[in-house]
Amino acid sequence: MKFFSFWRSLASFRVRIALNLKNVPTEVVFVDLDANAHRDPEYRRINPQMALPALVEDDGTTLFQSLAISNISTRNTPPRRCCRRYQRPRPRPCAGADGRLRGTSLLVPRVRRYLDHELNLRDTQQAAWRRHWIVETLAALEGHLAGHKDTGKFCHADAPTLADICMVGHVTVAVTQQIDLKIYPTVKRIFETAMALPEFARAHPLAQPDTPEAMRKS
Amino acid sequence: MKFFSFWRSLASFRVRIALNLKNVPTEVVFVDLDANAHRDPEYRRINPQMALPALVEDDGTTLFQSLAISNISTRNTPPRRCCRRYQRPRPRPCAGADGRLRGTSLLVPRVRRYLDHELNLRDTQQAAWRRHWIVETLAALEGHLAGHKDTGKFCHADAPTLADICMVGHVTVAVTQQIDLKIYPTVKRIFETAMALPEFARAHPLAQPDTPEAMRKS
């Protein structure tokens, strides 16, 4: 299986966690978005939409979209093994997925480009835009999770699910933007619990083979 | 089961289709977003996030998020019956779900409010914003679907799936904005095929009991 990844792509981050949790071995191909490698004819043959990530299975089936990959990329692995640590989330913890829908889709590069080139927003306006949607999503997540009977060590009970994968991506962006998590105590606790797991920690954007040296976690 | 719906809410539209396809009987409660009924204490007790739709099952379990509701709201109905017309999509037709992620999340009211109140965009700029993301999503959908081996009468093979539900919502917005579908022939064909089904047609925003008389389809 080939997994096309970029260190600071949030969607790649989500898939890396899922693949780690499911213990799926992949050959990782690094696609340098900063060098426009996703626009190369070579990658366009893999994904004509030129978006990351992509997963090419051994039979040639190609999957895009991090949630689809995270959900199904283990169909060829022994179920017992892949289900041990990673379960399909039950409905409510879609809180995490909802987090992705609400906030992250407003922070992706093509929206940034529109704000920049079409609306000519100043840097301070762009920073305010980012902050607004990050904070709104954190508040929604905290509202979903705090005090809910199904919330456990993780978003849903005591094992990581897709909800945690989505949440961790969003919170990582918030941390990068130096947003204080103190007023989102449930989110903060679950984020820290998840990031303490090696499967999450190893997937972190700043810990990848293609992370620039200067950005790398010490 | 109680389903909280509003005629022109796209997320409600998606759930109405799913409930029709699955033949799930529900008591529909109309929440008038235009009258801010979603901010009433009565609805906030159902969904503290004040968003539509919501589904309250007979045992009191409450679900939000249209995709979660569409996926699981039939767990109490006989499987044979609910599976006949409605199947879980296989990975690829997440094209439809992807459509939802890409475009629709940039067109929701809270984004419109931000463009309006925080960025003070003029009407023409707001119209250009809408058009940009609608067209971008149509192009992405057409790219996913056209000529793909799994594309059939519907997004995936010959029966409607969640992908069609998502796609139909997006295309309905495009039609409302008078965007010509001619250059998206696969999307256009599948949209027309789906909307010809009574389960889709009955769910249309302009055909609901709470649709204002002046907007109603003749």
Side-chain angles (χ1 to χ4, degrees):
Chain A
M1 238 183 313
K2 275 191 189 181
F3 167 48
F4 294 80
S5 171
F6 183 52
W7 64 280
R8 67 168 173 70
S9 143
L10 263 196
S12 300
F13 181 22
R14 285 193 291 269
V15 173
R16 285 194 297 262
I17 300 170
L19 295 174
N20 288 345
L21 286 169
K22 293 174 166 190
N23 208 1
V24 180
T26 54
E27 176 192 341
V28 185
V29 182
F30 301 105
V31 181
D32 186 347
L33 295 188
D34 288 334
N36 277 319
H38 57 306
R39 297 178 184 276
D40 285 352
E42 205 178 337
Y43 187 68
R44 289 176 87 143
R45 268 196 299 276
I46 307 283
N47 185 358
Q49 307 297 321
M50 301 178 284
L52 280 180
L55 189 85
V56 182
E57 299 192 70
D58 294 338
D59 67 358
T61 307
T62 305
L63 300 172
F64 315 123
Q65 268 207 292
S66 64
L67 298 190
I69 298 176
S70 302
N71 257 331
I72 66 95
S73 63
T74 50
R75 54 186 171 180
N76 298 325
T77 62
R80 197 171 278 279
R81 189 177 177 190
C82 80
C83 291
R84 201 167 27 114
R85 300 216 52 166
Y86 183 82
Q87 295 151 2
R88 285 188 64 77
R90 287 188 27 216
R92 207 217 22 127
C94 287
D98 187 46
R100 175 178 123 88
L101 296 182
R102 290 179 76 103
T104 313
S105 59
L106 294 159
L107 303 171
V108 296
R110 64 208 162 76
V111 173
R112 281 208 305 272
R113 275 194 299 277
Y114 193 98
L115 299 178
D116 205 7
H117 301 158
E118 303 296 326
L119 297 178
N120 301 310
L121 295 196
R122 296 185 308 272
D123 286 352
T124 50
Q125 287 176 304
Q126 296 205 30
W129 169 275
R130 279 197 299 276
R131 201 178 171 85
H132 178 89
W133 299 115
I134 292 170
V135 164
E136 203 221 30
T137 305
L138 289 173
L141 286 168
E142 185 67 24
H144 275 293
L145 294 168
H148 193 288
K149 67 178 171 51
D150 294 336
T151 304
K153 284 187 196 160
F154 292 91
C155 288
H156 190 81
D158 294 332
T161 66
L162 194 51
D164 302 288
I165 294 179
C166 291
M167 193 192 81
V168 152
H170 188 77
V171 177
T172 299
V173 173
V175 169
T176 312
Q177 298 285 320
Q178 302 179 301
I179 289 168
D180 191 350
L181 299 179
K182 222 182 320 175
I183 58 169
Y184 315 105
T186 319
V187 169
K188 183 171 186 286
R189 172 180 63 74
I190 296 174
F191 173 70
E192 289 168 354
T193 305
M195 290 312 297
L197 292 179
E199 291 88 345
F200 281 73
R202 279 207 317 271
H204 195 281
L206 302 187
Q208 300 314 302
D210 61 334
T211 309
E213 205 52 53
M215 302 288 295
R216 195 172 291 277
K217 263 183 164 174
S218 58
Chain B
M1 236 181 318
K2 275 190 188 181
F3 167 49
F4 294 79
S5 170
F6 182 53
W7 65 280
R8 67 168 173 70
S9 143
L10 263 196
S12 299
F13 181 21
R14 285 193 291 269
V15 172
R16 285 195 296 263
I17 300 170
L19 294 174
N20 288 346
L21 285 169
K22 294 173 167 192
N23 210 0
V24 181
T26 54
E27 176 192 340
V28 185
V29 182
F30 302 106
V31 181
D32 187 348
L33 295 189
D34 288 336
N36 278 322
H38 56 307
R39 297 179 185 277
D40 284 352
E42 204 179 338
Y43 187 67
R44 289 175 89 143
R45 269 195 299 275
I46 308 284
N47 185 358
Q49 307 296 320
M50 301 177 285
L52 279 182
L55 189 85
V56 181
E57 298 193 72
D58 295 337
D59 67 358
T61 308
T62 305
L63 301 171
F64 314 123
Q65 268 207 293
S66 63
L67 299 190
I69 297 176
S70 302
N71 257 332
I72 65 95
S73 64
T74 51
R75 54 187 171 179
N76 298 327
T77 62
R80 199 171 275 280
R81 189 175 177 194
C82 81
C83 291
R84 199 163 34 109
R85 300 216 54 168
Y86 183 82
Q87 296 151 1
R88 284 188 64 78
R90 288 190 22 221
R92 210 225 10 135
C94 288
D98 186 45
R100 175 176 122 89
L101 297 182
R102 290 178 76 101
T104 312
S105 59
L106 295 157
L107 303 171
V108 296
R110 65 209 160 78
V111 174
R112 280 206 307 272
R113 275 195 299 275
Y114 193 98
L115 299 177
D116 206 6
H117 301 160
E118 303 295 327
L119 297 178
N120 302 310
L121 295 195
R122 297 187 306 274
D123 286 352
T124 50
Q125 287 177 303
Q126 297 206 30
W129 169 274
R130 280 196 299 277
R131 202 179 172 84
H132 178 88
W133 300 115
I134 292 170
V135 163
E136 203 222 30
T137 304
L138 288 173
L141 285 168
E142 184 68 23
H144 274 294
L145 294 168
H148 193 286
K149 67 180 173 48
D150 293 335
T151 304
K153 283 187 197 161
F154 292 90
C155 288
H156 190 81
D158 294 331
T161 66
L162 194 51
D164 301 288
I165 294 178
C166 291
M167 192 190 81
V168 153
H170 188 77
V171 177
T172 299
V173 174
V175 170
T176 312
Q177 298 285 320
Q178 301 181 301
I179 288 169
D180 191 349
L181 300 179
K182 222 182 323 178
I183 57 169
Y184 315 105
T186 318
V187 170
K188 183 170 186 288
R189 172 180 64 72
I190 296 173
F191 173 68
E192 289 169 352
T193 305
M195 290 311 298
L197 293 178
E199 291 88 347
F200 281 72
R202 278 206 318 270
H204 195 281
L206 302 186
Q208 300 314 303
D210 61 333
T211 310
E213 204 52 53
M215 302 288 295
R216 194 171 291 276
K217 263 184 165 175
S218 57

